[in-house]
């Protein structure tokens, strides 16, 4: 088994994270972006996320193999206990446990912030094709997410229309008076080491 470490992303990881993300933009409909962002734009995105939420990377034998992060689900104060999650794993590291380890660690970090709801917005084909499969939907299902809704033919890429589905997972009880959300930037992330 390869030794893996899950740690907080740094802005200086942007170039490697972009190497992982770029094939998703160029070759798939997993993301609805058409153009690969610049390294500077990716640095900005990482820094912005880390102001409030965890942004994690998985290193295998010293090389980043994937990343996951959370972001704002809804700007309104009443939705502070809900986040949107995202994950990207390099092609050679899929189905090796990297994704599960990243999402498990992300969930633990979000729980420490008093976050209660995880929401994932996932591209969905009418029928699986060379650009998009149901793999992400299946992965989230294995991670305990359930289907919450579907937007039909709302993304156009590679000359085809794709749907978006929302999946959700509750990671805590919903009391009458929930604990206040703790913003990520105010504390230090734990480090996770394990063999995957």
């Amino acid at each position: 088994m390869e030794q893996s470490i899950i740690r907080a992303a740094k802005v200086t990881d942007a170039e490697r994270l972009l190497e992982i993300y770029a094939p998703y933009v160029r070759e798939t409909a997993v993301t609805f972006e058409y153009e690969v962002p610049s390294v500077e734009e990716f640095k900005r995105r990482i820094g912005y996320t880390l102001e409030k939420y965890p942004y994690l990377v998985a290193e295998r034998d010293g090389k980043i193999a994937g990343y996951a992060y959370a972001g704002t689900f809804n700007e309104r104060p009443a939705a502070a206990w809900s986040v949107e999650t995202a994950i990207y794993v390099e092609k050679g590291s899929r189905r090796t446990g990297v994704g599960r380890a990243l999402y498990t660690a992300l969930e633990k970090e979000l729980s420490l912030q008093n976050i209660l709801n995880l929401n994932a917005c996932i591209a969905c084909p009418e029928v699986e094709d060379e650009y998009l499969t149901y793999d992400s939907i299946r992965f989230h299902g294995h991670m305990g997410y359930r289907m919450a809704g579907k937007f039909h033919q709302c993304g156009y890429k590679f000359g085809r229309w794709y749907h978006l589905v929302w999946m959700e997972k509750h990671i805590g009880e919903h009391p009458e008076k929930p604990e206040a959300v703790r913003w990520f930037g105010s504390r230090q992330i734990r480090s996770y080491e394990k063999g995957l």
Side-chain angles (χ1 to χ4, degrees):
M1 276 190 185
E2 296 178 60
Q3 188 64 24
S4 296
I5 296 172
I6 294 177
R7 62 165 174 82
K10 298 178 267 192
V11 171
T12 54
D13 294 322
E15 191 169 347
R16 174 62 185 143
L17 300 189
L18 195 53
E19 287 175 4
I20 294 169
Y21 182 63
Y24 285 96
V25 177
R26 289 192 301 258
E27 302 164 16
T28 79
V30 168
T31 173
F32 284 178
E33 284 200 82
Y34 284 167
E35 302 294 330
V36 176
S38 68
V39 173
E40 287 307 311
E41 169 59 16
F42 229 66
K43 286 180 179 179
R44 188 199 65 74
R45 292 180 188 186
I46 294 167
Y48 180 78
T49 298
L50 286 171
E51 289 176 11
K52 287 188 173 183
Y53 301 107
Y55 199 128
L56 306 178
V57 300
E59 289 184 349
R60 303 183 84 188
D61 293 333
K63 184 178 181 184
I64 295 174
Y67 63 95
Y69 59 91
T72 302
F73 173 68
N74 184 300
E75 295 286 347
R76 301 293 189 260
W81 292 267
S82 299
V83 297
E84 183 177 348
T85 59
I87 185 167
Y88 293 93
V89 176
E90 71 175 349
K91 190 173 185 179
S93 295
R94 293 180 206 153
R95 294 183 172 85
T96 65
V98 169
R100 176 173 289 280
L102 276 166
Y103 250 24
T104 299
L106 184 68
E107 190 173 309
K108 286 178 183 174
E109 291 300 319
L110 291 167
S111 181
L112 291 173
Q113 289 185 255
N114 298 322
I115 297 295
L116 300 175
N117 293 14
L118 310 183
N119 303 280
C121 187
I122 303 167
C124 174
E126 184 67 33
V127 177
E128 290 184 302
D129 61 29
E130 67 268 34
Y131 303 113
L132 190 61
T133 67
Y134 300 128
D135 283 355
S136 189
I137 294 170
R138 285 189 282 262
F139 168 76
H140 283 82
H142 289 311
M143 293 302 298
Y145 286 68
R146 64 179 179 267
M147 199 63 68
K150 185 174 187 177
F151 295 94
H152 297 85
Q153 296 181 319
C154 56
Y156 182 77
K157 194 169 180 181
F158 303 119
R160 300 170 191 194
W161 287 100
Y162 292 100
H163 312 307
L164 282 176
V165 298
W166 279 98
M167 295 183 75
E168 66 180 359
K169 180 178 182 179
H170 291 173
I171 60 170
E173 298 297 319
H174 290 72
E176 187 175 332
K177 293 184 180 181
E179 295 285 330
V181 173
R182 298 181 195 157
W183 297 121
F184 182 77
S186 65
R187 58 183 188 75
Q188 187 65 33
I189 190 170
R190 294 175 294 162
S191 182
Y192 302 85
E193 294 189 31
K194 63 184 282 187
L196 295 177

